[in-house]
Amino acid sequence: MPASAPARPPEWIAADEARARLGVRSQTLYAYVSRGRVQVRPDPHDPRRSLYRVADIAALTDRKSRSRKVAEVAAGAISWGEPVLTSAITTVSGGRLFYRGRDAAELAHTETLESVARLLRGGHGAALKRTDRPPPPEGADMRSRAFLALAARAGEDPPARGRNPLALAVEAATLLDVLTDAVAGQQGGGAIAGRLALAWGQGPGGPGADLIRRALVLLADHELNASTFAARVAASTGASLAACALAGMAALSGPRHGGAAAAVQSLAREAGEIGPRGAVNARLVEDRHIPGFGHNLYPDGDPRAAALLERFEPDPEMLRLQATVSALTGLAPNVDFALVAMARALKLPADAPFALFAVARCAGWIAHAIEQGQGGGVIRPRARYVGVDAG
């Protein structure tokens, strides 16, 4: 009776099964072998074929599974998910916004952007003497002048990392003045809110100036939004405060962030032409977002919008639009709607909502840049590659 063929060791499997367990192509399996991550031996049934060690395949499969779970967590964190950075500056809790533990809506009653900027930076509240600054750059509009002013500083200012904290604080205060000058189109002194009010035809001590002051305080920071994250990434490299603010400004300029006010203005124009119900219905039928309403962090309503809207009477068209959206969707207005309504009520320039957002949020960008530079390393996430197999 002929001897039976030797049994295949159970700890070894063929190439097709190894590929199936790993979910890879032949080239990738061979790459694992060449890198020493999978042991291989000849098949005793057919020396022309190879067998692959089960334990190595299992270890790679487990690693890939764990990597996918981590990738899923990371992907979720990037989009309104779990916190990914530690910060002592701002948080949203219980439907309210807090700057270093203080309610932003309460601060808006009495504080200026300058005092809130010092609070965000962790300062004790004392005003700082600013350094000299050049006249604002020439530009076609407020937005272009703002970019030019920050870019000029970013090209000249020294890196922030390793600098004396007081020197950084003075630079931060000066940077806010530089941006304000650019937006106003003229160099000025006094409170930022008053300077913007004067540039936009409002009395520096009147109700319009007070509304502008409140809006600036309410917009000064908003935790780790897109523009702030961009500023922190720049800060993690040691970039200057101006460069960090420029990174924030670049992110803010997108239509899904600081450009949201333009979408609200477009909706308001449509509502004026075809009526608010028609304008809102058109978006609902097409499953489009209704700009200026709802916010992921405030399911019960944006407290910044509420704090601003309670201080003035929007024009009748904006009131009808607000009532229509509320009746059809149940959504409350967010701060973008409030800014546009305020700009219309005060007859401010069309780009004033963006300009207010930029000047105010610059205070937050600077605070986050300083915090990141004090202890954080380089922000360098990994990409989950889904392209052609690199084998």
Side-chain angles (χ1 to χ4, degrees), residues 240-253:
S240 69
L241 295 185
C244 297
L246 183 60
M249 179 72 80
L252 184 71
S253 67

Side-chain angles (χ1 to χ4, degrees), residues 26-113:
S26 297
Q27 297 93 322
T28 304
L29 178 60
Y30 301 152
Y32 287 146
V33 172
S34 67
R35 295 169 187 165
R37 298 173 70 179
V38 176
Q39 290 187 35
V40 64
R41 56 166 286 182
D43 187 337
H45 292 288
D46 184 354
R48 294 172 299 177
R49 301 175 62 194
S50 298
L51 298 178
Y52 300 84
R53 191 165 180 262
V54 169
D56 294 339
I57 300 297
L60 281 171
T61 302
D62 181 63
R63 182 175 178 179
K64 287 180 69 177
S65 176
R66 284 187 283 112
S67 296
R68 279 195 296 269
K69 291 176 183 176
V70 171
E72 289 166 3
V73 171
I78 286 175
S79 183
W80 302 96
E82 293 301 313
V84 296
L85 288 174
T86 58
S87 176
I89 298 174
T90 300
T91 190
V92 174
S93 178
R96 295 158 65 194
L97 176 64
F98 294 89
Y99 299 155
R100 293 195 181 271
R102 300 185 63 183
D103 190 320
E106 293 297 323
L107 290 171
H109 291 311
T110 58
E111 300 302 312
T112 64
L113 177 62

Side-chain angles (χ1 to χ4, degrees), residues 344-368:
R344 285 170 60 116
L346 297 179
K347 296 180 172 52
L348 302 183
D351 213 18
F354 177 84
L356 283 168
F357 217 129
V359 172
R361 192 55 55 85
C362 188
W365 298 333
I366 292 169
H368 281 271

